[in-house]
């Protein structure tokens, strides 16, 4: 059954003299209510009008009455107002990238900018489309975060991104990735991946370890590659011949690392220490060792990389390499807001010795 209501009284209109708000008040609505030109209203709302004239007061009163909101995106596209800094990573930000983002955001906020978080899912087409969109929105800078392919194709792609951003006065900043040869105008803020792992291996050698394994992704991405080279450097410095059989392939998850460790242990009972590409992998390695009843560090010592907050609470606590993620973000942020770029920066790392490493067993 359908009920029709007829002869309803007309809806009560807004009692104010201003226009009704439908899709939101416009600058023209504010100007009309204040009885000024649009140019005058724009100057007042942008904070560029001099003095405190009657028209100035009327514009502010009209904007408040109408609930007018300044279009920040439009202002930034005209080169005024707050511009955003984009923090672009392949996946949703984890603990290490979150710390880096925090450093960049501290600088952005202090300088009146916004930090926006974007992910690409490791999809090149999606990444390229995102850079184009950010340039259309007049982003101040793009922080391209984390490991990338160590290929000429990536260098060409990064050059295209840099050119696209330069057209709107923005710049590309690589964070946690070494500088690109032949592209000195593309800023790079990195930390010492290779030296950090080398220090971890040297620490194990000092404890008497000679059969030292490596668990990592072993691919051509910059971070895994640099850390694997650091492992080899540490062995070479101690006069230990590199044995490819002691390098176990693993994805960057604790489950993958645990599975890789289980498969690895049966074929290599002689190992006394394991160096891991990341703390996430080290957590999986420790889980697998505990499940096998292997004492850490009594039988096998373990070293990680990143110094994630949780690893100090493991049993035993994890010896790891502390990377300066917050400082990388801060330095990138300073460049993004217009600070001087004096060339590629590689920040130092620090070995944090905890309970997961000890003298080699007899």
């Amino acid at each position: 059954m359908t009920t029709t209501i007829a002869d309803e009284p007309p809806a009560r209109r807004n009692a104010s003299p201003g226009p009704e708000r439908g899709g939101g008040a416009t600058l023209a609505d504010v100007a009309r209510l204040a009885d000024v030109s649009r140019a005058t209203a724009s100057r007042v709302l942008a904070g560029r009008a001099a003095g405190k004239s009657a028209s100035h007061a009327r514009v502010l009163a009209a904007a408040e009455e109408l609930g007018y909101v300044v279009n920040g995106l439009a202002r930034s596209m005209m080169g005024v107002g707050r511009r955003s800094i984009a923090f672009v990573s392949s996946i949703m930000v984890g603990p290490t990238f979150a710390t880096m983002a925090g450093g960049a955001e501290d600088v952005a906020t202090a300088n009146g900018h916004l930090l926006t978080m974007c992910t690409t899912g490791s999809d090149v087409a999606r990444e390229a489309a995102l850079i184009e969109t950010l340039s259309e929105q007049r982003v101040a800078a793009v922080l391209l975060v984390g490991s990338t392919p160590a290929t000429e194709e990536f260098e060409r792609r990064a050059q295209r991104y840099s050119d696209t951003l330069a057209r709107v006065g923005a710049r590309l900043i690589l964070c946690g990735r070494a500088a690109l040869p032949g592209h000195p105008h593309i800023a790079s803020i990195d930390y010492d991946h290779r030296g950090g792992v080398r220090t971890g291996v040297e620490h194990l050698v000092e404890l008497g370890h000679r059969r030292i394994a490596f668990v990592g992704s072993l691919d051509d991405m910059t971070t895994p590659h640099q850390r694997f080279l650091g492992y080899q450097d540490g062995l070479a410095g101690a006069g230990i011949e590199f044995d490819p059989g002691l390098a176990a392939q693993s994805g960057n998850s604790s489950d993958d690392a645990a599975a890789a460790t289980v498969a690895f242990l049966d074929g290599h009972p002689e190992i006394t220490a394991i160096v891991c590409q990341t703390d996430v992998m080290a957590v999986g390695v420790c889980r697998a060792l505990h499940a096998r009843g292997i004492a850490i560090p009594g039988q096998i010592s373990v070293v990680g990389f990143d110094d994630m907050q949780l690893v100090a609470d493991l049993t035993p606590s994890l010896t790891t390499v502390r990377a300066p993620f917050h400082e990388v973000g801060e330095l990138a942020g300073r460049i993004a807001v217009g600070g001087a770029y004096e060339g590629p920066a590689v920040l130092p790392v620090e070995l944090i010795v905890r309970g997961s490493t000890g003298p080699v067993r007899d």
Side-chain angles (χ1 to χ4, degrees), residues 23-44:
T26 66
L27 180 64
D29 297 332
V30 174
R32 185 162 50 249
L33 180 57
D35 194 24
V36 298
S37 68
R38 289 184 61 177
T40 296
S42 177
R43 286 195 299 273
V44 171

PDB file of all heavy atoms in Angstrom, residues 23-44:
ATOM      1  N   GLY A  23      26.120  21.841  -1.991  1.00  0.00           N
ATOM      2  CA  GLY A  23      27.337  21.068  -2.038  1.00  0.00           C
ATOM      3  C   GLY A  23      28.477  21.754  -1.322  1.00  0.00           C
ATOM      4  O   GLY A  23      29.623  21.422  -1.529  1.00  0.00           O
ATOM      5  N   GLY A  24      28.171  22.754  -0.459  1.00  0.00           N
ATOM      6  CA  GLY A  24      29.214  23.489   0.236  1.00  0.00           C
ATOM      7  C   GLY A  24      29.324  24.891  -0.327  1.00  0.00           C
ATOM      8  O   GLY A  24      29.166  25.126  -1.525  1.00  0.00           O
ATOM      9  N   ALA A  25      29.529  25.842   0.572  1.00  0.00           N
ATOM     10  CA  ALA A  25      29.615  27.235   0.144  1.00  0.00           C
ATOM     11  C   ALA A  25      30.844  27.462  -0.722  1.00  0.00           C
ATOM     12  O   ALA A  25      31.887  26.842  -0.524  1.00  0.00           O
ATOM     13  CB  ALA A  25      29.660  28.138   1.370  1.00  0.00           C
ATOM     14  N   THR A  26      30.712  28.358  -1.681  1.00  0.00           N
ATOM     15  CA  THR A  26      31.809  28.693  -2.574  1.00  0.00           C
ATOM     16  C   THR A  26      32.338  30.077  -2.250  1.00  0.00           C
ATOM     17  O   THR A  26      31.728  30.836  -1.482  1.00  0.00           O
ATOM     18  CB  THR A  26      31.353  28.676  -4.042  1.00  0.00           C
ATOM     19  OG1 THR A  26      30.406  29.738  -4.242  1.00  0.00           O
ATOM     20  CG2 THR A  26      30.712  27.338  -4.394  1.00  0.00           C
ATOM     21  N   LEU A  27      33.477  30.406  -2.853  1.00  0.00           N
ATOM     22  CA  LEU A  27      34.039  31.743  -2.663  1.00  0.00           C
ATOM     23  C   LEU A  27      33.061  32.804  -3.143  1.00  0.00           C
ATOM     24  O   LEU A  27      32.928  33.870  -2.532  1.00  0.00           O
ATOM     25  CB  LEU A  27      35.359  31.843  -3.418  1.00  0.00           C
ATOM     26  CG  LEU A  27      36.096  33.184  -3.321  1.00  0.00           C
ATOM     27  CD1 LEU A  27      36.511  33.462  -1.883  1.00  0.00           C
ATOM     28  CD2 LEU A  27      37.320  33.183  -4.241  1.00  0.00           C
ATOM     29  N   ALA A  28      32.351  32.509  -4.244  1.00  0.00           N
ATOM     30  CA  ALA A  28      31.362  33.466  -4.762  1.00  0.00           C
ATOM     31  C   ALA A  28      30.251  33.704  -3.746  1.00  0.00           C
ATOM     32  O   ALA A  28      29.759  34.834  -3.593  1.00  0.00           O
ATOM     33  CB  ALA A  28      30.781  32.960  -6.076  1.00  0.00           C
ATOM     34  N   ASP A  29      29.820  32.649  -3.038  1.00  0.00           N
ATOM     35  CA  ASP A  29      28.783  32.800  -2.012  1.00  0.00           C
ATOM     36  C   ASP A  29      29.259  33.735  -0.898  1.00  0.00           C
ATOM     37  O   ASP A  29      28.513  34.597  -0.427  1.00  0.00           O
ATOM     38  CB  ASP A  29      28.439  31.439  -1.398  1.00  0.00           C
ATOM     39  CG  ASP A  29      27.844  30.473  -2.403  1.00  0.00           C
ATOM     40  OD1 ASP A  29      27.223  30.938  -3.374  1.00  0.00           O
ATOM     41  OD2 ASP A  29      28.010  29.253  -2.212  1.00  0.00           O
ATOM     42  N   VAL A  30      30.512  33.540  -0.471  1.00  0.00           N
ATOM     43  CA  VAL A  30      31.067  34.380   0.593  1.00  0.00           C
ATOM     44  C   VAL A  30      31.142  35.830   0.134  1.00  0.00           C
ATOM     45  O   VAL A  30      30.752  36.758   0.866  1.00  0.00           O
ATOM     46  CB  VAL A  30      32.470  33.873   1.015  1.00  0.00           C
ATOM     47  CG1 VAL A  30      33.114  34.840   2.012  1.00  0.00           C
ATOM     48  CG2 VAL A  30      32.378  32.482   1.612  1.00  0.00           C
ATOM     49  N   ALA A  31      31.622  36.048  -1.090  1.00  0.00           N
ATOM     50  CA  ALA A  31      31.741  37.414  -1.618  1.00  0.00           C
ATOM     51  C   ALA A  31      30.379  38.088  -1.711  1.00  0.00           C
ATOM     52  O   ALA A  31      30.223  39.269  -1.360  1.00  0.00           O
ATOM     53  CB  ALA A  31      32.421  37.382  -2.984  1.00  0.00           C
ATOM     54  N   ARG A  32      29.353  37.344  -2.174  1.00  0.00           N
ATOM     55  CA  ARG A  32      28.011  37.905  -2.319  1.00  0.00           C
ATOM     56  C   ARG A  32      27.427  38.296  -0.962  1.00  0.00           C
ATOM     57  O   ARG A  32      26.861  39.383  -0.798  1.00  0.00           O
ATOM     58  CB  ARG A  32      27.118  36.903  -3.038  1.00  0.00           C
ATOM     59  CG  ARG A  32      25.734  37.437  -3.354  1.00  0.00           C
ATOM     60  CD  ARG A  32      25.037  36.610  -4.426  1.00  0.00           C
ATOM     61  NE  ARG A  32      25.071  35.183  -4.135  1.00  0.00           N
ATOM     62  CZ  ARG A  32      25.787  34.290  -4.835  1.00  0.00           C
ATOM     63  NH1 ARG A  32      26.547  34.694  -5.855  1.00  0.00           N
ATOM     64  NH2 ARG A  32      25.752  33.013  -4.522  1.00  0.00           N
ATOM     65  N   LEU A  33      27.595  37.405   0.036  1.00  0.00           N
ATOM     66  CA  LEU A  33      27.040  37.695   1.358  1.00  0.00           C
ATOM     67  C   LEU A  33      27.762  38.878   2.015  1.00  0.00           C
ATOM     68  O   LEU A  33      27.156  39.678   2.716  1.00  0.00           O
ATOM     69  CB  LEU A  33      27.149  36.448   2.248  1.00  0.00           C
ATOM     70  CG  LEU A  33      26.608  36.562   3.678  1.00  0.00           C
ATOM     71  CD1 LEU A  33      25.145  36.980   3.680  1.00  0.00           C
ATOM     72  CD2 LEU A  33      26.783  35.238   4.418  1.00  0.00           C
ATOM     73  N   ALA A  34      29.068  38.981   1.774  1.00  0.00           N
ATOM     74  CA  ALA A  34      29.845  40.068   2.378  1.00  0.00           C
ATOM     75  C   ALA A  34      29.770  41.366   1.575  1.00  0.00           C
ATOM     76  O   ALA A  34      30.296  42.395   2.011  1.00  0.00           O
ATOM     77  CB  ALA A  34      31.301  39.638   2.513  1.00  0.00           C
ATOM     78  N   ASP A  35      29.159  41.289   0.376  1.00  0.00           N
ATOM     79  CA  ASP A  35      29.029  42.448  -0.502  1.00  0.00           C
ATOM     80  C   ASP A  35      30.396  43.002  -0.898  1.00  0.00           C
ATOM     81  O   ASP A  35      30.666  44.203  -0.823  1.00  0.00           O
ATOM     82  CB  ASP A  35      28.187  43.553   0.159  1.00  0.00           C
ATOM     83  CG  ASP A  35      27.748  44.628  -0.849  1.00  0.00           C
ATOM     84  OD1 ASP A  35      27.681  44.292  -2.054  1.00  0.00           O
ATOM     85  OD2 ASP A  35      27.498  45.765  -0.422  1.00  0.00           O
ATOM     86  N   VAL A  36      31.279  42.079  -1.321  1.00  0.00           N
ATOM     87  CA  VAL A  36      32.599  42.465  -1.823  1.00  0.00           C
ATOM     88  C   VAL A  36      32.854  41.679  -3.101  1.00  0.00           C
ATOM     89  O   VAL A  36      32.104  40.760  -3.448  1.00  0.00           O
ATOM     90  CB  VAL A  36      33.720  42.155  -0.800  1.00  0.00           C
ATOM     91  CG1 VAL A  36      33.505  42.943   0.491  1.00  0.00           C
ATOM     92  CG2 VAL A  36      33.809  40.661  -0.517  1.00  0.00           C
ATOM     93  N   SER A  37      33.927  42.020  -3.777  1.00  0.00           N
ATOM     94  CA  SER A  37      34.294  41.275  -4.981  1.00  0.00           C
ATOM     95  C   SER A  37      34.900  39.937  -4.600  1.00  0.00           C
ATOM     96  O   SER A  37      35.389  39.740  -3.468  1.00  0.00           O
ATOM     97  CB  SER A  37      35.297  42.072  -5.814  1.00  0.00           C
ATOM     98  OG  SER A  37      36.547  42.151  -5.120  1.00  0.00           O
ATOM     99  N   ARG A  38      34.915  39.013  -5.538  1.00  0.00           N
ATOM    100  CA  ARG A  38      35.552  37.712  -5.279  1.00  0.00           C
ATOM    101  C   ARG A  38      37.040  37.885  -5.006  1.00  0.00           C
ATOM    102  O   ARG A  38      37.615  37.179  -4.182  1.00  0.00           O
ATOM    103  CB  ARG A  38      35.342  36.777  -6.466  1.00  0.00           C
ATOM    104  CG  ARG A  38      33.910  36.279  -6.623  1.00  0.00           C
ATOM    105  CD  ARG A  38      33.781  35.275  -7.747  1.00  0.00           C
ATOM    106  NE  ARG A  38      34.607  34.092  -7.511  1.00  0.00           N
ATOM    107  CZ  ARG A  38      34.629  33.027  -8.316  1.00  0.00           C
ATOM    108  NH1 ARG A  38      33.875  33.009  -9.405  1.00  0.00           N
ATOM    109  NH2 ARG A  38      35.395  32.002  -8.041  1.00  0.00           N
ATOM    110  N   ALA A  39      37.665  38.821  -5.696  1.00  0.00           N
ATOM    111  CA  ALA A  39      39.099  39.045  -5.494  1.00  0.00           C
ATOM    112  C   ALA A  39      39.379  39.480  -4.061  1.00  0.00           C
ATOM    113  O   ALA A  39      40.341  39.026  -3.423  1.00  0.00           O
ATOM    114  CB  ALA A  39      39.614  40.094  -6.479  1.00  0.00           C
ATOM    115  N   THR A  40      38.501  40.388  -3.538  1.00  0.00           N
ATOM    116  CA  THR A  40      38.688  40.844  -2.157  1.00  0.00           C
ATOM    117  C   THR A  40      38.486  39.698  -1.183  1.00  0.00           C
ATOM    118  O   THR A  40      39.266  39.515  -0.239  1.00  0.00           O
ATOM    119  CB  THR A  40      37.711  41.981  -1.838  1.00  0.00           C
ATOM    120  OG1 THR A  40      38.003  43.102  -2.674  1.00  0.00           O
ATOM    121  CG2 THR A  40      37.804  42.403  -0.374  1.00  0.00           C
ATOM    122  N   ALA A  41      37.436  38.912  -1.403  1.00  0.00           N
ATOM    123  CA  ALA A  41      37.174  37.773  -0.523  1.00  0.00           C
ATOM    124  C   ALA A  41      38.329  36.791  -0.548  1.00  0.00           C
ATOM    125  O   ALA A  41      38.742  36.251   0.491  1.00  0.00           O
ATOM    126  CB  ALA A  41      35.876  37.076  -0.937  1.00  0.00           C
ATOM    127  N   SER A  42      38.884  36.547  -1.736  1.00  0.00           N
ATOM    128  CA  SER A  42      40.007  35.616  -1.865  1.00  0.00           C
ATOM    129  C   SER A  42      41.214  36.106  -1.083  1.00  0.00           C
ATOM    130  O   SER A  42      41.881  35.334  -0.383  1.00  0.00           O
ATOM    131  CB  SER A  42      40.363  35.446  -3.344  1.00  0.00           C
ATOM    132  OG  SER A  42      41.485  34.599  -3.490  1.00  0.00           O
ATOM    133  N   ARG A  43      41.534  37.437  -1.190  1.00  0.00           N
ATOM    134  CA  ARG A  43      42.684  37.979  -0.475  1.00  0.00           C
ATOM    135  C   ARG A  43      42.513  37.874   1.037  1.00  0.00           C
ATOM    136  O   ARG A  43      43.452  37.534   1.758  1.00  0.00           O
ATOM    137  CB  ARG A  43      42.913  39.443  -0.871  1.00  0.00           C
ATOM    138  CG  ARG A  43      43.513  39.635  -2.258  1.00  0.00           C
ATOM    139  CD  ARG A  43      44.036  41.049  -2.432  1.00  0.00           C
ATOM    140  NE  ARG A  43      42.973  42.046  -2.292  1.00  0.00           N
ATOM    141  CZ  ARG A  43      42.201  42.454  -3.265  1.00  0.00           C
ATOM    142  NH1 ARG A  43      42.348  41.955  -4.496  1.00  0.00           N
ATOM    143  NH2 ARG A  43      41.266  43.372  -3.063  1.00  0.00           N
ATOM    144  N   VAL A  44      41.312  38.147   1.512  1.00  0.00           N
ATOM    145  CA  VAL A  44      41.058  38.075   2.957  1.00  0.00           C
ATOM    146  C   VAL A  44      41.222  36.651   3.450  1.00  0.00           C
ATOM    147  O   VAL A  44      41.898  36.379   4.451  1.00  0.00           O
ATOM    148  CB  VAL A  44      39.649  38.596   3.285  1.00  0.00           C
ATOM    149  CG1 VAL A  44      39.309  38.310   4.752  1.00  0.00           C
ATOM    150  CG2 VAL A  44      39.545  40.093   3.002  1.00  0.00           C
TER     151      VAL A  44
END
